[in-house]
Structures are given as structure tokens and as C-alpha cells.
Amino acid sequence: MKKEFLDLGRQPIANAFLNKEDFDDEFFFDLKACWDTDTSLVSIKNFVEPEEIFNENYPYNTSNSFPMINHFKQAAKMLTKKFQPKNVLEIGSNSGPFIENFNKGNSICVEPCGNFAKITEDMGYKTYSEFWTTELAKEIIDRDGYMDLIYSANCICHIHDLDDTFKAVRELLSPSGIFVFEDPSLLRILERGSYDQIYDEHPHIFSVTALDNLLRRNGLKIFNVDSLSVHGGSNRIYASHIDNGLVGDSVRQNINEEMVFGLDNFQTYEIFADRVKKSKDTLVRSLSNLRRNGKKIMSIGATAKSTTVFNYCGIGTDLIDVITDTTKDKQGMYSPGVHIPVVPRDSINLNDYDYAYLGAWNFKEVIADKEREFVQNGGKFITHVPEVMVFS
Ligand code: JHZ
């Protein structure tokens, strides 16, 4: 049974940055989150059609979140050393920062967004510009054979039908093959109050507990879990065919940690929802007070996460003048729903502002390091994770 615990209001598509002439034609949906008492999976209530989100205009380019390039290089190096896969397939390969570390002849990309599929194709990787389904897995078996490593980062939690997703993986995985995927951790989100990880692109937020249930019912099992610091805390899940090999201690340890926190108890989600409401009130009050005192506020990082925050809290140009972002396809556009202009970082002088809200709070250290001069001139950062606070 699905039990609703959080209402984040009317939301646009988190990455649908838009032009002024499209303001009247914007798509909105009701963003609510629920917990499934049977599988323990947290999902949003109303799914948005994937074609509305992942198409030719999808702007999120992993390579612009530049610390991630090194993250994927390290991941590729570690997986090659540990498992020596002969062939590799990546689901949701985006601009290719993971796959570029593998041999072109033995590596395959699956990427539904045509603009990104073209990038990996041009790099010389065979790319299927399609959504991940059991039909596609069967087509790949016929054309390319079974895979030793199926990898996916920040993509499996984007897919509505997880049973079909995991069945497709089971079909395509060679008998001793491994399936490795990483996505934001539900436990870390609840611990850190980072409700902004919930949006249309994340129809599910994964706990190890829920994944263990879902993978097992589709003939796969988790044998290892790595805790990662990226994106505010993610889990890297290692899975294999269900009858293959042993299960490492990390699986039990993670599930235990989740049980101790109370992920199997609906009250935990109600407490989280209460914290989210308080976070909204505090953030709006803080920004409004600053504005009343004549302070100038901008935001760094036009993230999908900040779409959730700004729309849930009703924060528009009355409170935040402008957002800077390194992504060319977001620059010159307006943020979804609340229509704050997005500009390149070098088009403004940060010293003209008193406060910078961190839309990309997950890159707090990198941004604070880059913007030392802003702080030296008296500038301050604002974040809502783990609590609303000002720091410099
Ligand atoms: P970042 C996206 O979420 C969407 P977002 C997606 N659903 C997902 O799961 C995660 O990624 C992984 C910019 N930037 O990575 C670049 C600066 O301007 O937190 C990006 O647009 N200056 C696939 O959008 C944005 O901020 C900087 O110094 O929440 C960061 O987006 C840095 C480091 C980044 O993901």
C-alpha cells in the first residue's frame, strides 16, 4: 500500500529551462511523495511522461558538474581493476564521462536524449538512442551479445517501471556479469533534509532495503554497497544474478543502518515532512528579511534541485535576482516555474551581491573555493542543507 507523506505543491519539469515567449505554455504537475509499505520504496505520486523530460532539449550535461568527471574516471578505473569486464554497457550515458574510460570496440551507450546520444556516437561509441526496456535488452543481445558490466549513474531512479528495468538487466547480463548503479540515497536525504532531490526526474528515491526487495523479485541480488559523497550522499549498488556468489557485509550493514533510522516506519516520513515545512518557512523568512534590509541576493547553480526549492517555497525574482550556471544550454533562459534569469558566471560581478544562495549545495566546497574573492569582500552563502544557514 502506498502512503503519501509529502506535498511539494505544483511543480514544473525541473530541467525545462525556458524562453520568455514560452512562459504561458509551461507544464505543471502536483509533486507528492509516498512510501510503499510492501517494498519500502519511496516514489512520487504522479509520474511525468519520460518523453516530456528526456528529449533533444534535455540540458543537464554531467561534464558541467566538473568534479563528476574525476568521479567517473575513478569509478571506471576501480571497476576495470576489480572485475576486468570484456564488454561494458552504460544506461543513461549522457555526455560520456564514464564510458570514455573504456575501449570503443567493446562498449555500448544507451541514451534516450538525442543531443547526448550524438555526443557519444561522435566520440566513436555505439549508442542506442532509446529508453531502457526489456525489448531493447533483447535487441542488444541479438546484435552485440551479453554484457559483463552494466553500469548506470543517476539514471535507474529516473525510470518508472523498475521491474521491467531490472528484468532487462537480468536478460542482458552474462552469467558472471555485474550490474553497478549509483543514485542518491534515501537515508542521506532524510538525514540532511534535502527534499530538493525529489522532482519529476526522480520518480523513485532508493533505499538499499527497497532495492534489495525489487532486485530479488527480478532474479538479481545486491552483493555489495559503497557509500558515496557525491550528490549529497549516494549509494553505489553492486548486483549479480541471484544464484551467483556471496553477499558482502556491506549489504546487511546498510540495511541495518536504514532500519535503525526508521526507514521501515511511516512515522519517519511524517517527521521528515514536518522538517521540510519548517525549512520552507525559515528559508522564505530569511530571504525576505534580507531583502527588506536592502540586501542583494543571487543563486549559484541552476540545478534541478533548486527548481523544487524555488517552486515549493514560492521564491522568484522578488527574492533572487539571477542564477549563474556553467551550462551553455541553460544560459539566457529562465528557470522553470518561477522564471529567474539564468546567466553565465562571468556576465555578472559577484561583488555586486551580498548573498549567494547555493542551488548546487552539493558542490559547496568547490564553489566556495572558486568564489573566495566574494567572501573576502564580505559576501555570504546561503544554503538550506542540512538546515537553513548563512556562512562564509
Ligand atoms: P547538479 C541533475 O540534478 C539531474 P542537478 C539528474 N536528474 C540527477 O540525478 C543529478 O543531476 C545527478 C552548475 N555548476 O550536478 C552545473 C555551476 O554553475 O547538482 C549544473 O548545471 N558552477 C540527472 O541539476 C549545476 O550547477 C559550479 O561551480 O541538481 C549542478 O547540477 C558547478 C560545480 C556546477 O545536478
Side-chain angles (χ1 to χ4, degrees):
M1 187 181 54
K2 287 189 177 158
K3 292 176 89 171
E4 189 182 312
F5 63 91
L6 183 64
D7 185 349
L8 291 171
R10 195 169 159 265
Q11 292 277 349
I13 291 181
N15 261 314
F17 292 84
L18 68 172
N19 290 307
K20 229 178 201 156
E21 48 279 19
D22 298 323
F23 282 1
D24 294 335
D25 202 20
E26 213 173 349
F27 175 89
F28 287 91
F29 72 107
D30 289 326
L31 180 58
K32 294 178 176 166
C34 31
W35 175 63
D36 184 346
T37 50
D38 302 326
T39 59
S40 206
L41 180 66
V42 165
S43 307
I44 64 172
K45 196 171 176 190
N46 306 310
F47 290 163
V48 175
E49 285 305 314
E51 292 79 5
E52 287 273 350
I53 307 170
F54 304 108
N55 52 45
E56 285 285 333
N57 300 320
Y58 185 65
Y60 181 75
N61 184 331
T62 308
S63 307
N64 281 320
S65 294
F66 52 88
M68 296 306 289
I69 298 174
N70 192 40
H71 170 80
F72 290 120
K73 191 176 177 173
Q74 294 309 321
K77 204 166 147 187
M78 177 277 291
L79 292 169
T80 304
K81 195 167 165 207
K82 249 188 182 157
F83 302 103
Q84 293 159 349
K86 280 202 288 295
N87 47 22
V88 182
L89 176 133
E90 184 178 8
I91 307 170
S93 40
N94 198 266
S95 54
F98 176 77
I99 210 75
E100 71 184 3
N101 300 290
F102 292 91
N103 187 309
K104 292 189 176 83
N106 307 324
S107 313
I108 293 175
C109 300
V110 174
E111 174 51 70
C113 303
N115 48 340
F116 287 110
K118 186 168 179 328
I119 294 179
T120 49
E121 234 160 51
D122 290 349
M123 284 160 67
Y125 290 92
K126 181 166 186 179
T127 304
Y128 288 86
S129 188
E130 287 178 51
F131 287 100
W132 178 248
T133 59
T134 39
E135 287 78 52
L136 178 62
K138 283 178 187 147
E139 191 186 327
I140 295 174
I141 295 169
D142 289 343
R143 292 189 183 183
D144 309 289
Y146 295 95
M147 296 290 137
D148 295 328
L149 169 63
I150 299 179
Y151 178 82
S152 189
N154 301 302
C155 177
I156 299 299
C157 77
H158 291 180
I159 308 178
H160 298 172
D161 187 346
L162 294 173
D163 285 322
D164 185 70
T165 296
F166 294 148
K167 269 191 198 100
V169 168
R170 191 192 63 209
E171 294 270 344
L172 185 59
L173 208 56
S174 66
S176 58
I178 57 157
F179 172 39
V180 180
F181 62 107
E182 54 186 77
D183 291 286
S185 146
L186 174 67
L187 176 61
R188 301 296 164 231
I189 289 172
L190 296 195
E191 275 177 349
R192 292 174 188 172
S194 49
Y195 66 90
D196 51 352
Q197 293 277 20
I198 303 171
Y199 48 90
D200 58 305
E201 272 178 46
H202 291 173
H204 310 290
I205 305 285
F206 291 150
S207 61
V208 179
T209 308
L211 285 172
D212 197 47
N213 291 330
L214 291 161
L215 286 158
R216 280 183 183 277
R217 81 179 184 197
N218 288 292
L220 297 165
K221 70 155 189 280
I222 306 178
F223 66 89
N224 188 39
V225 180
D226 287 343
S227 301
L228 310 175
S229 60
V230 293
H231 293 296
S234 300
N235 285 323
R236 180 178 286 149
I237 305 287
Y238 298 71
S240 66
H241 286 285
I242 201 159
D243 48 5
N244 212 354
L246 300 171
V247 172
D249 291 345
S250 59
V251 182
R252 187 52 42 212
Q253 280 158 7
N254 272 275
I255 291 176
N256 280 348
E257 198 190 342
E258 291 180 351
M259 291 305 117
V260 169
F261 190 85
L263 291 197
D264 58 341
N265 182 347
F266 188 62
Q267 213 197 348
T268 304
Y269 300 94
E270 292 179 309
I271 293 169
F272 174 70
D274 209 41
R275 179 173 175 188
V276 172
K277 278 190 213 120
K278 287 189 182 120
S279 171
K280 170 183 174 169
D281 292 345
T282 315
L283 184 62
V284 172
R285 204 175 40 247
S286 308
L287 295 177
S288 306
N289 283 343
L290 292 173
R291 250 330 204 220
R292 253 195 306 280
N293 290 320
K295 302 295 180 197
K296 284 193 80 182
I297 313 167
M298 55 79 67
S299 179
I300 300 179
T303 57
K305 296 184 288 289
S306 60
T307 296
T308 300
V309 175
F310 293 161
N311 284 278
Y312 173 57
C313 299
I315 296 170
T317 45
D318 52 330
L319 295 175
I320 289 185
D321 293 327
V322 74
I323 308 173
T324 60
D325 198 284
T326 47
T327 310
K328 288 226 157 28
D329 289 344
K330 295 181 186 175
Q331 295 165 357
M333 311 285 273
Y334 292 83
S335 73
V338 294
H339 306 159
I340 303 173
V342 181
V343 300
R345 166 66 189 86
D346 54 13
S347 72
I348 62 161
N349 181 355
L350 213 53
N351 297 327
D352 291 342
Y353 295 86
D354 302 292
Y355 291 86
Y357 170 76
L358 290 177
W361 53 262
N362 44 317
F363 296 117
K364 180 170 135 185
E365 287 80 15
V366 177
I367 293 170
D369 189 49
K370 270 204 302 198
E371 305 298 357
R372 275 188 305 246
E373 196 196 316
F374 168 63
V375 174
Q376 279 155 13
N377 285 320
K380 292 188 173 64
F381 296 110
I382 305 177
T383 182
H384 70 282
V385 178
E387 306 294 340
V388 176
M389 59 183 171
V390 170
F391 67 98
S392 52

